[in-house]
Amino acid sequence: MSARTATATSTFTRTERPADVLVVGAGPTGLLLAGDLAASGVNVVLLERRSAESNLTRAFAVHARTLEVFDARGLAEALIATGHLVDGVRLFGRVAIDLTRLETRFPGVLMTPQYHVEHLLEERAVTAGADIRRGVRCTGLRQDADGVELDVEEADGTARTLRARYAVGTDGVRSTVRKALGMPFPGRAVLDSVMLADVRLSAAPRELPAFRGGAEGFAFVVPFGDGWFRIIAWRRGTRLPTDAPVDPDELEGVTRALFGTDFGIHDVRWTSRFHSDERQVPRYRDGRVFLAGDAAHVHSPAGGLGMNAGLQDAANLGWKLAAVLHGRAGEALLDSYHDERHPVGAQVLRVSGAIVRAVLLDFPVIRGARNVAARVLPFTPAVGHRLARTVSGLAVAYPAPPGSHPLTGRRVPDLPLVETGDGPTRLYEALRAGTHLRVLPRDTGPDVPPAPPGALTVTRADAVRTALLVRPDGYVESAEELPPSWTLPEAEAGTGARQGTAAPAGPEAAERNAVVA
């Protein structure tokens, strides 16, 4: 198969009215993207080869930044109710990731099965008007200067050609869209035959989630909060194929070898195996086609970063596609998707790879030196905090134009807002409007002109004098320090706030920025 050719497998082909965007793959990434596009008034069709929703899952960790993404869509509380929020995890020795000091409404990581994430996102997408079609398999792809055509096969064998202005592949590690583009997926294998199992335990670990790694391999026990636990286990030297059944004795054996107990594993309801690679495509955009989530980057399960990275890919791309399709921005904005998210994907590969290699050092002498170092060397709060911010996603910042305010490209915390009747009282509630936010300090004067086109104006309730233009994904597009009773210059009302430029900040501004960040 290639981006130029495709073969139909039925006796006739039907073509229908073009959509704005075709999304292939109804996992978490595709569902979030489809929901965002539909909520923005975009005609989006989401295709999924599975005929029914899956109640099985590989991913289970939802980190703080992703919970903020859900909060900006009014879904965080409902998702938290499905799982178990934990405040950290110990890796080895004294090395632990403490999430309690994170500057967020969600200082922890939520342990919940992926199907809960998918259920909430699908419900939102359907309510917003997304057209979700299951049992539809993509068989080919072509693109021209005006749009993209996908050849698909429906469950009954009917072949159909779908056309849209853009297409996005969110169809996982074996992405048909990526292969149809001829896009390379360079990288290497990391772990073979990792076991997954959802089980009940007679005697759960006292500290959850529980992790052990050593000469034999590793085992990770995660609570789902409903009496079920996920065990992820790997035994060094195992080379079984992914379709090989998981023997309960094998699962219990590696767990017992690492923890000294198997915790009384029983009622195994689901098992699976997978191979873990580290791979990333060189480009997230190819003409009118984009790749996101596992179709663009895959890595080891260490850190629980994969689903989170994909969801944040979708949050970054969705508002940009909507802006271009509605004529509010030019095509160049879409290039920033690769520019911003590809470095993040590369960092996720580095972080997850570093964790798994530190835990699974091959040589006993080196492992011993690592464990001694973990006991002797100071794992300072500052080091731990940096690690927590990195793993949680809160440290992600995007490139800013030269001369920009220091906050440009950085994530905005959930600032308190001045109450206006039944309006939002905090910034992430305001982001639920799905548009840019112009955030003004209090007492900016009576003559403030209208917000830039499409933006919603809100007033921050704190004493900081920094005005912000916040993107729909919660990152600063531009910022400016304002004196009391400031009035926006008329010449800048419709342009300056969107250019991402501002006067350089001095020492006093830097002190104020520390409060904002």
Side-chain angles (χ1 to χ4, degrees):
M1 186 194 308
S2 73
R4 299 294 177 187
T5 62
T7 301
T9 58
S10 67
T11 57
F12 63 96
T13 299
R14 295 188 292 178
T15 303
E16 63 181 66
R17 183 174 64 86
D20 292 325
V21 181
L22 291 168
V23 181
V24 181
T29 302
L31 288 166
L32 178 66
L33 179 61
D36 283 1
L37 291 170
S40 299
V42 171
N43 177 12
V44 56
V45 177
L46 175 59
L47 308 175
E48 171 54 49
R49 61 178 178 80
R50 297 174 298 178
S51 297
E53 294 182 58
S54 173
N55 63 348
L56 305 178
T57 180
R58 286 186 178 176
F60 57 84
V62 183
H63 282 289
R65 178 57 191 153
T66 305
L67 287 172
E68 291 183 342
V69 169
F70 275 72
D71 190 23
R73 289 153 181 80
L75 301 175
E77 297 304 324
L79 185 61
I80 289 171
T82 68
H84 179 67
L85 198 64
V86 300
D87 57 16
V89 60
R90 186 172 302 281
L91 299 179
F92 52 82
R94 296 173 57 231
V95 179
I97 302 176
D98 178 10
L99 304 173
T100 60
R101 296 175 57 239
L102 292 174
E103 310 89 347
T104 174
R105 288 174 61 87
F106 311 104
V109 56
L110 177 67
M111 302 298 178
T112 189
Q114 178 178 319
Y115 53 77
H116 287 317
V117 175
E118 293 182 356
H119 175 75
L120 283 174
L121 291 176
E122 178 159 358
E123 188 176 65
R124 170 180 178 260
V126 170
T127 300
D131 181 358
I132 300 179
R133 305 181 188 181
R134 294 189 175 274
V136 180
R137 183 172 65 91
C138 177
T139 60
L141 178 152
R142 296 170 299 280
Q143 61 176 313
D144 53 43
D146 299 317
V148 183
E149 287 187 348
L150 291 184
D151 296 323
V152 302
E153 181 182 311
E154 298 177 350
D156 62 1
T158 300
R160 187 187 296 270
T161 298
L162 304 179
R163 185 171 177 86
R165 291 178 63 182
Y166 299 97
V168 186
T170 60
D171 48 342
V173 63
R174 297 179 180 85
S175 171
T176 300
V177 174
R178 186 187 66 240
K179 294 174 182 176
L181 290 171
M183 182 79 72
F185 202 31
R188 59 177 176 175
V190 179
L191 298 171
D192 287 328
S193 198
V194 180
M195 295 180 287
L196 302 177
D198 288 354
V199 304
R200 291 192 184 275
L201 303 176
S202 298
R206 285 178 296 177
E207 184 178 288
L208 287 168
F211 179 84
R212 290 291 186 276
E216 299 84 359
F218 70 77
F220 194 26
V221 182
V222 181
F224 284 154
D226 59 357
W228 289 94
F229 295 81
R230 162 64 52 82
I231 295 182
I232 306 173
W234 175 76
R235 185 187 293 276
R236 192 183 301 277
T238 302
R239 294 290 185 271
L240 294 175
T242 55
D243 59 355
V246 174
D247 186 337
D249 291 340
E250 181 186 9
L251 182 69
E252 294 169 7
V254 67
T255 304
R256 191 182 307 113
L258 291 160
F259 284 99
T261 175
D262 60 18
F263 304 111
I265 294 172
H266 63 96
D267 291 349
V268 180
R269 68 176 178 182
W270 172 76
T271 63
S272 181
R273 293 183 191 268
F274 71 96
H275 295 325
S276 176
D277 291 355
E278 290 177 350
R279 301 183 184 278
Q280 185 179 30
V281 294
R283 303 183 310 281
Y284 282 15
R285 180 186 187 186
D286 185 324
R288 290 182 169 270
V289 183
F290 303 84
L291 297 172
D294 286 354
H297 48 78
V298 294
H299 49 82
S300 83
L305 306 178
M307 179 172 64
N308 296 269
L311 288 166
Q312 290 164 48
D313 287 345
N316 183 285
L317 179 59
W319 72 268
K320 295 174 180 178
L321 281 169
V324 172
L325 286 164
H326 289 315
R328 298 193 299 266
E331 279 276 333
L333 177 63
L334 298 177
D335 289 332
S336 70
Y337 168 63
H338 168 87
D339 296 340
E340 292 180 347
R341 293 304 300 173
H342 192 276
V344 174
Q347 182 187 45
V348 168
L349 264 68
R350 289 194 300 270
V351 171
S352 64
I355 293 173
V356 77
R357 288 176 180 84
V359 169
L360 299 177
L361 290 171
D362 285 330
F363 301 104
V365 172
I366 300 177
R367 267 201 315 273
R370 177 206 66 188
N371 294 337
V372 169
R375 289 194 300 270
V376 175
L377 297 179
F379 188 69
T380 65
V383 172
H385 189 57
R386 284 196 296 272
L387 180 58
R389 282 179 53 81
T390 298
V391 171
S392 68
L394 298 182
V396 170
Y398 297 136
S404 298
H405 190 283
L407 292 178
T408 303
R410 294 176 62 181
R411 157 194 163 269
V412 181
D414 195 16
L415 301 175
L417 303 179
V418 172
E419 296 187 28
T420 55
D422 58 355
T425 60
R426 53 189 182 84
L427 188 132
Y428 279 77
E429 288 180 345
L431 283 172
R432 294 172 189 175
T435 186
H436 280 74
L437 299 180
R438 188 175 65 161
V439 185
L440 297 177
R442 292 181 298 175
D443 187 28
T444 55
D447 301 322
V448 177
L456 173 68
T457 295
V458 294
T459 302
R460 58 191 307 165
D462 56 21
V464 179
R465 303 300 306 169
T466 308
L468 306 169
L469 184 64
V470 180
R471 305 177 348 176
D473 60 354
Y475 290 85
V476 176
E477 185 165 310
S478 64
E480 187 172 1
E481 304 300 326
L482 304 181
S485 299
W486 167 85
T487 300
L488 183 67
E490 184 175 354
E492 297 178 6
T495 58
R498 287 200 177 275
Q499 299 303 313
T501 59
E508 293 182 0
E511 182 178 351
R512 288 192 294 269
N513 292 342
V515 177
V516 178

